[in-house]
Amino acid sequence: MMRRGDQLLLGFLFCLFLSLAFAEGGRIRHYRWEVKYEYKSPDCYKKLVIAINGRTPGPTIEAEQNDTVMVELKNSLLTENVAIHWHGIRQIGTPWFDGTEGVTQCPILPGDTFVYKFVVDRPGTYLYHAHYGMQREAGLYGLIRVALPPGVSEPFQYNYDRSIILNDWYHKSTHEQATGLSSLDFSWVGEPQATDRQLDRSLSALSFQIEGHNMTVVETDGHYVEPFVVKNLFIYSGETYSVLITANQDPSRNYWAVTNVVSRSSTTPNGLAIFNYYPNHPRRSPPTVPPAGPVWNDGDSRLAQSLAIRARQGYIHPPPQTSDRVIVMLNTQNKINGHVRWSVNKVSYNLPHTPYLIALKHKLGHVFDQTPPPNGYDFVNYDISIKQENVSATSSNSIYRLEFNSIVDVILQNANTMEANKSETHPWHLHGHDFWVMGYGKGKFDMYSDPQKYNLVDPIMKNTVAVQPYGWTAMRFRADNPGVWAFHCHIESHFYMGMGVVFEEGIDNVGELPTSIMGCGDTRGGTFHRP
Amino acid sequence: MMRRGDQLLLGFLFCLFLSLAFAEGGRIRHYRWEVKYEYKSPDCYKKLVIAINGRTPGPTIEAEQNDTVMVELKNSLLTENVAIHWHGIRQIGTPWFDGTEGVTQCPILPGDTFVYKFVVDRPGTYLYHAHYGMQREAGLYGLIRVALPPGVSEPFQYNYDRSIILNDWYHKSTHEQATGLSSLDFSWVGEPQATDRQLDRSLSALSFQIEGHNMTVVETDGHYVEPFVVKNLFIYSGETYSVLITANQDPSRNYWAVTNVVSRSSTTPNGLAIFNYYPNHPRRSPPTVPPAGPVWNDGDSRLAQSLAIRARQGYIHPPPQTSDRVIVMLNTQNKINGHVRWSVNKVSYNLPHTPYLIALKHKLGHVFDQTPPPNGYDFVNYDISIKQENVSATSSNSIYRLEFNSIVDVILQNANTMEANKSETHPWHLHGHDFWVMGYGKGKFDMYSDPQKYNLVDPIMKNTVAVQPYGWTAMRFRADNPGVWAFHCHIESHFYMGMGVVFEEGIDNVGELPTSIMGCGDTRGGTFHRP
């Protein structure tokens, strides 16, 4: 609820869920979570979710900068394992608690309690979510809110602080989704299932707006943004934004808040909520028709928002002016043995059986493909704008090994899918780092001219960035966090279908691994831990 | 298909699935299985099943007596573990390959390949099925057919040999079933879900008959039966039967084969198949109305069949005339912390986190409750015929420790459930042994007079036996198989709800455990197996 004149900070994440920020004192934030299946019906359709302590989204983690968060996670699923990723937390010094099954840890078995313990070193609003199979889609996610320490204030003011998670919601189980995606008789997760009388949502890219109220964007992915005003905010899976809203409209009524799918033509109905002016009843419908939101295929407006996002003056992290290595990643849709897959440079990613972090630290080189993945594609001859005749690709679990402390540029190059005149939006998320967003462009990236246009002055740092249809996005990061880090499209089904890579850096500087992350693949069984 | 005059051997198991018996030569039967989710629609309702090599029921294991069966099982489920039990195979010398998660092994993780290797030491028709969570209900089961060695013949003759599995089929996923069963807002797996337009079946006890054809029962659970003739066969979950059928009816038409639920009032429609006389078209409907099958509540007929089953002359294994220990097991329905549970002597069973076999062999005594479970109940005061006022019970993972080579009597005593005037049928299955069925009775077992009526002459040996509503069943076995063995109601949901116990015997005589069964609980992680 808002009173006229109030300023509101909205933290956006990818059911409408409100949480108050009660940042308590103390340096260790201890949470005890039980993960299990429960029946829920948030949209009046009763289905199983994977809940934390009976809730989806799970409990919000509240901490202050430099606190240690400790989550004791008990897996009370009957036959399923689990793993949780702390999205946006860089895990400096604790790469083993990144929660990425197959990359940094073995899954947590039914009946097991696993303790995640890590420092939240930067204020901001972040996410946590399952990083195993497609369990995130089953409702296993929530918020992490890291407050500034006492005495430090944000470079903007507000009266109230509310958080909203925008999330895909499917009626099918994750098992059904994954089976459909991996079947020869391919079925996409996101299309309405008329025969089941259910309506699934495919919300990779969304717009959010509040009727009659502009929003001032002030923060994204834990970094302050040079403020700019939007009527609607475009947001991609894995991103977080903070916006300021001034409650300066007619207080005798409520207003619609609307979210709608953009970047793909969708029959999913728009998500609606009510922006409430006190003392109106919070459920009193506004007297207006909800705004329709922007049209789905207005790519220029989306690109314009991306270009408007720059680091706030006084909070700029200057980027290195040059890089040591450039990796170009062509994003394509392919077929392997009849299965629909996504690929990077014609290599479709699959997870190894023994997590890389353990394999590399303990020199179990045989557990994954040692051939490095390609640094690029056939720039000269590949036409990104057309449907390809040859849609074949290979599968691999090979990884990019980066020189420690080197500066790495990654160019994400989008292309046409296997369907003519179609290219999708992919939000790429990097674990363990923030990166600088150096530039965006349309068409094929030009290795000679496009780097000249990079923003070397005030690029924003993020952990997730979108690559637009038929476009490219350039990012730069310093490989200074010893560990093994996934970098992948944050659309759950795309990563499952191979749209990801893995970086190793400074493995020799990784400390002794906790045995709790072991127990699968080549690290299975055999030792007895007597109490 | 049958020609007039043919004699047919039908092996019954607990879908209609036919398999020919091609018993090949050789001593090791090697199977490679991949377990994964697939969409199937056997009753025209598309749903996920857990398939083996793309099939449910899975491939039939064909072997000869004393062959070694070797199953390389690859778990290709995305996030779920698995374990397979070889139902009716005693696993003499290989208790670690019994496949009972939590009792004899840790579950098999996604991506892992587990090798089961065991001797099939007795001819007969057996089952295999998942023994983890409720995965059996997801379709993870099949047949094991062990033929006589060349030169040895059965004491009856036939022209054709066909196998039929009778199985429960649910439209709900096992996750949905288990969540319903374990919720405070309890929902039973087996009631029709009108809102889902689906019809579930609850088939704990079935009748099977073929219109116009009597059946001669000749074998059960791998033991020859003194032949007797029935019009319909009663069969309980986990049992196997062989019957002879003579095709001596009018060959110009086909006949109905019908299975129907007995022992509980059910709205599930009867299962129908066609018994085909060649050269009629196999799908040509018989000109008659399918027989309705026996009424559900005719307990006397079911008891009469049980009493008719005796060991065949010439194939009698004489039972020990006395026992060393008697354990009475009162079967009751209870509530624990608001949850509906089943109990034995007011103790509701739950599985430990570290399998007993490993814990006992490696002396990890802390991983389960060391207090022995009760040997009986309050015989004098407990009225089995009425709904109890006090329905509380306790939970425990404690086990019965049996003196090696001792003779043990178990009396299964049925009682009223938590609903007035209701008692259910429970088929109890013992792992690792065959037992002698010493007697059946109605009402409360009398410790003084009833043992006088035991069949000490020609009792049948079985691995699964039913206890009828308000009745008792007495069984005797020799604790001569070193290992740890589950004994439980074979209705998947009843075991999940606590209706089971575990026996240990001769643990010191168990050989070195394979490390492949480890990897969970106190045996998780930490060791590296370099190739």
Side-chain angles (χ1 to χ4, degrees), chain B residues 208-415:
Chain B
F208 179 89
Q209 69 186 87
I210 298 172
E211 184 188 15
H213 296 75
N214 283 334
M215 299 182 284
T216 304
V217 179
V218 292
E219 182 257 5
T220 184
D221 292 9
H223 292 276
Y224 296 127
V225 170
E226 184 65 20
F228 65 100
V229 175
V230 295
K231 183 180 157 208
N232 65 285
L233 179 76
F234 295 108
I235 183 166
Y236 306 94
S237 178
E239 287 192 310
T240 60
Y241 285 94
S242 297
V243 299
L244 292 170
I245 299 162
T246 306
N248 56 4
Q249 298 299 303
D250 175 3
S252 69
R253 53 163 287 193
N254 291 334
Y255 296 83
W256 291 110
V258 181
T259 185
N260 66 293
V261 176
V262 292
S263 103
R264 55 186 286 159
S265 181
S266 168
T267 55
T268 301
N270 292 351
L272 294 179
I274 291 173
F275 188 76
N276 171 233
Y277 273 68
Y278 186 82
N280 303 321
H281 192 283
R283 284 170 181 265
R284 186 174 141 204
S285 281
T288 45
V289 173
V295 295
W296 71 269
N297 56 358
D298 179 5
D300 287 346
S301 293
R302 295 199 300 279
L303 186 57
Q305 179 188 299
S306 292
L307 292 168
I309 300 171
R310 289 163 175 264
R312 187 176 181 117
Q313 295 301 312
Y315 297 87
I316 296 170
H317 300 276
Q321 298 296 298
T322 58
S323 70
D324 301 305
R325 180 175 179 181
V326 179
I327 305 172
V328 182
M329 297 190 179
L330 177 71
N331 292 198
T332 57
Q333 197 179 38
N334 302 84
K335 275 212 168 183
I336 300 181
N337 298 327
H339 295 271
V340 179
R341 299 285 295 175
W342 289 95
S343 304
V344 171
N345 296 336
K346 293 290 193 82
V347 178
S348 188
Y349 178 73
N350 54 60
L351 285 159
H353 194 36
T354 306
Y356 299 108
L357 184 63
I358 312 172
L360 287 165
K361 189 73 186 161
H362 291 270
K363 308 207 187 305
L364 308 170
H366 60 279
V367 302
F368 66 93
D369 182 357
Q370 297 293 304
T371 316
N375 268 308
Y377 68 105
D378 180 354
F379 313 111
V380 179
N381 298 307
Y382 193 97
D383 187 343
I384 64 149
S385 66
I386 59 164
K387 179 174 176 291
Q388 301 290 310
E389 288 298 312
N390 177 6
V391 293
S392 66
T394 57
S395 289
S396 178
N397 57 18
S398 67
I399 65 174
Y400 293 95
R401 304 197 65 166
L402 307 177
E403 193 180 339
F404 188 54
N405 269 324
S406 65
I407 306 297
V408 179
D409 280 4
V410 173
I411 318 298
L412 294 163
Q413 175 66 61
N414 215 335

Side-chain angles (χ1 to χ4, degrees), chain A residues 124-203:
Chain A
T125 313
Y126 307 99
L127 295 166
Y128 65 81
H129 58 76
H131 214 298
Y132 185 49
M134 293 181 65
Q135 290 178 336
R136 191 180 92 210
E137 302 300 359
L140 193 44
Y141 57 82
L143 291 181
I144 304 171
R145 294 169 49 108
V146 183
L148 287 161
V152 181
S153 56
E154 288 157 332
F156 42 80
Q157 290 184 315
Y158 49 89
N159 304 96
Y160 295 99
D161 181 0
R162 299 286 184 278
S163 296
I164 297 176
I165 302 179
L166 303 175
N167 187 72
D168 299 355
W169 192 255
Y170 298 93
H171 289 171
K172 282 189 174 172
S173 75
T174 57
H175 308 286
E176 289 169 325
Q177 290 182 45
T179 303
L181 292 172
S182 62
S183 295
L184 287 174
D185 178 20
F186 178 80
S187 67
W188 171 244
V189 298
E191 303 308 326
Q193 303 288 322
T195 55
D196 288 356
R197 296 175 305 170
Q198 75 186 43
L199 196 61
D200 291 341
R201 292 182 179 185
S202 55
L203 312 184

